[in-house]
Amino acid sequence: MLSCLLVVLLLLFSGVRNGEVVNATDGGEEFVADEVIVKLRTTQDLASIAAEYSLDPLPLDQFGSRPIFRLRITDNARVEDRVRELDSDSRVALVEPNYITKPPVGGGNTWSVGNTWSVGGDHGTFVSQWAPEKIHLPLAHQVNRGTGPNGPIKVAVLDTGVDATHPALAGHLLPGWDFVDNDNDPSEVGDQQTGPYGHGTHVAGLIALVAPEAKIIPLRVLDRHGVGNVWVLAEALVYAVDPDGNPATADGADVINLSLSTLRETQLIGTLLEKACGSGSSDSQDFPVSTNPYLVVVAAAGNGGDDTRQYPAAENVDGLIAVAASAINDTLASFSSRGSWVHVAAPGQGILSTVPNGQYGTWSGTSMAAPLVAGEAALARARFPLLLNKDLARHVIRMAESIDGDVPFRADAGIALTSDPDGNPAPLPSPTPSSTPTPSPTPTPTPTPTPLPSPTPSPSATPTPAPIKPGRRGHPS
């Protein structure tokens, strides 16, 4: 599992790091030069390992207090050779290059500003475009808009940053972090001619469209060229799950959106996701990330146009939903990755959303499809707060419409919100619901949901929507 070159938009990682900022290069390398990521079986072996393999014994960074280090090669050896040597040492539990992550769209004009109707336009066209109606969003909003028994659902967006000044995002954002420049301002950096500028803002706008009462945690993990690396990605994932480092406080994300993909697996990211979602083996328990078996991760499948597996979407992790892109005519978009490892499609072709400087732009990709599903997952989490992540993900996947193509199901928020987890039409919430228990993230694999201290304010009365007939639905369990 020595790999990780991203091809859609990616994540970086850092839980408010101490030490130097990690910046990726903008060249053609697949990994950061002269660096390796190493997990030792015990910290006491660091000095001897460093001496034997010409590594600087003073780590560039350490992952929490665990024996996981980012180390500098001191003898100009090839990274691949040093990884191979370390991999054969029984004192080393994990070793891989610090892989660089890259967006699939590259540089240049990646979105078209809505100056005229032909390229998109204003807030009105944003909310009335084809995608919301396709997934029956108005029906879903009659049931829930993103607020659960304990308040707004939180969705972390690991991306290029978010323009917090955009009017359409006002009131939707929580404090975040910039893991590229290591500060508390996760704004977009750059311009439209340099990399995928605006990508994170576009993604955030779609989440706000689908789940308008949810809150977004913006985490900048890509530099101005749209490039990051595995170490930064891992740190950002840890932060998203538990921003203040205290598992007893419910400040972590309920849903994580990863509009990114890579052709390579990486042990570090795969193991972190396993533990974070509560599906890890004993090997993952040593990783410094809180476990939340209610956490749902939504990942873009990639824009490869074939069945080549891309990661982290192809990770076999409880609560992870791999998302392809569909077109307006309910067929799989030609550019979308596909295959048995992809769970569901969502609108991803010609999608209008927010871009920097208060503008709107049209973009295509599985990066656009993923946040629509992340928003749906937020609505479903609010609607069904006691479902474990694997069951909530299964519900979103099963409550889908049949479409043509190699990913034969398209997400449908209306069906998901008006059907119970067994696939039957669900009763709508009572106008005066009683206090109900709701889960809180805990550091253990099996947290016990705790009751609320007071009843949740009841929503205003709305006409009872008629559930969509599930005639075309047919996703296997």
Side-chain angles (χ1 to χ4, degrees):
M1 280 174 47
L2 301 179
S3 29
C4 173
L5 170 63
L6 251 88
V7 191
V8 171
L9 247 236
L10 58 96
L11 318 141
L12 280 141
F13 102 33
S14 174
V16 182
R17 301 171 292 160
N18 297 317
E20 67 179 82
V21 175
V22 180
N23 287 308
T25 66
D26 59 357
E29 302 87 349
E30 286 195 31
F31 41 77
V32 178
D34 302 321
E35 287 188 15
V36 289
I37 295 173
V38 178
K39 179 186 177 186
L40 302 178
R41 302 199 182 279
T42 173
T43 303
Q44 283 67 41
D45 288 331
L46 176 59
S48 59
I49 287 285
E52 183 172 344
Y53 294 102
S54 298
L55 302 171
D56 190 334
L58 182 63
L60 295 168
D61 212 343
Q62 182 175 1
F63 205 28
S65 60
R66 270 61 168 190
I68 304 172
F69 306 98
R70 185 166 63 91
L71 301 174
R72 183 174 64 87
I73 299 171
T74 61
D75 64 350
N76 297 318
R78 296 175 70 245
V79 172
E80 305 96 309
D81 293 339
R82 192 52 35 91
V83 166
R84 191 177 304 109
E85 295 164 1
L86 286 162
D87 195 40
S88 65
D89 195 305
S90 62
R91 295 168 294 177
V92 177
L94 177 157
V95 59
E96 59 190 4
N98 187 11
Y99 285 105
I100 289 173
T101 54
K102 297 181 181 180
V105 290
N109 294 326
T110 51
W111 43 264
S112 56
V113 178
N115 295 322
T116 68
W117 65 268
S118 63
V119 291
D122 54 21
H123 186 76
T125 52
F126 169 52
V127 300
S128 64
Q129 64 181 305
W130 69 275
E133 186 60 39
K134 181 67 71 173
I135 64 173
H136 295 110
L137 187 59
L139 175 63
H141 282 173
Q142 292 185 48
V143 181
N144 194 283
R145 293 169 60 85
T147 298
N150 273 353
I153 301 301
K154 297 179 289 296
V155 184
V157 173
L158 285 70
D159 219 291
T160 59
V162 173
D163 181 1
T165 68
H166 199 292
L169 296 177
H172 293 283
L173 302 176
L174 294 174
W177 194 261
D178 182 340
F179 290 92
V180 179
D181 294 331
N182 198 23
D183 59 41
N184 64 357
D185 181 12
S187 298
E188 300 266 5
V189 175
D191 54 59
Q192 193 180 345
Q193 282 67 47
T194 307
Y197 178 67
H199 188 278
T201 302
H202 201 274
V203 166
L206 293 172
I207 292 171
L209 176 66
V210 177
E213 293 179 6
K215 298 296 183 181
I216 297 168
I217 305 172
L219 302 177
R220 182 176 175 239
V221 297
L222 300 175
D223 65 16
R224 65 173 57 240
H225 301 287
V227 177
N229 62 65
V230 168
W231 188 264
V232 178
L233 168 57
E235 287 184 323
L237 283 171
V238 172
Y239 182 96
V241 174
D242 188 7
D244 68 357
N246 180 3
T249 58
D251 60 339
D254 301 290
V255 180
I256 295 176
N257 185 84
L258 305 180
S259 282
L260 61 90
S261 66
T262 172
L263 295 175
R264 298 176 177 270
E265 283 184 275
T266 163
Q267 296 181 64
L268 182 61
I269 301 305
T271 307
L272 278 174
L273 287 174
E274 285 180 353
K275 184 180 179 185
C277 293
S279 59
S281 63
S282 58
D283 292 339
S284 70
Q285 298 312 305
D286 193 37
F287 279 71
V289 60
S290 298
T291 295
N292 178 8
Y294 298 92
L295 173 67
V296 173
V297 177
V298 179
N303 299 336
D306 56 24
D307 62 359
T308 302
R309 290 176 183 263
Q310 299 201 30
Y311 298 88
E315 295 285 357
N316 184 22
V317 175
D318 286 347
L320 187 148
I321 305 174
V323 184
S326 61
I328 191 171
N329 60 350
D330 256 352
T331 59
L332 191 67
S334 61
F335 56 79
S336 179
S337 295
R338 68 283 310 274
S340 61
W341 55 277
V342 182
H343 299 117
V344 70
Q349 190 167 47
I351 303 299
L352 184 69
S353 187
T354 50
V355 291
N357 302 316
Q359 301 179 100
Y360 293 84
T362 300
W363 218 327
S364 294
T366 57
S367 286
M368 287 63 252
L372 294 177
V373 175
E376 178 184 338
L379 298 179
R381 169 53 70 211
R383 178 75 172 90
F384 305 108
L386 298 182
L387 281 184
L388 294 174
N389 53 15
K390 62 182 179 180
D391 297 320
L392 191 77
R394 183 184 301 117
H395 182 66
V396 170
I397 294 165
R398 289 184 63 240
M399 297 299 103
E401 283 284 338
S402 299
I403 65 170
D404 296 327
D406 294 331
V407 180
F409 302 100
R410 190 256 304 139
D412 195 301
I415 293 177
L417 270 288
T418 57
S419 301
D420 68 22
D422 294 323
N424 300 311
L428 292 179
S430 165
T432 55
S434 59
S435 178
T436 57
T438 183
S440 299
T442 89
T444 63
T446 56
T448 301
T450 57
L452 286 174
S454 60
T456 303
S458 61
S460 58
T462 57
T464 301
I468 299 172
K469 293 181 180 180
R472 298 185 63 210
R473 192 177 67 223
H475 202 291
S477 301

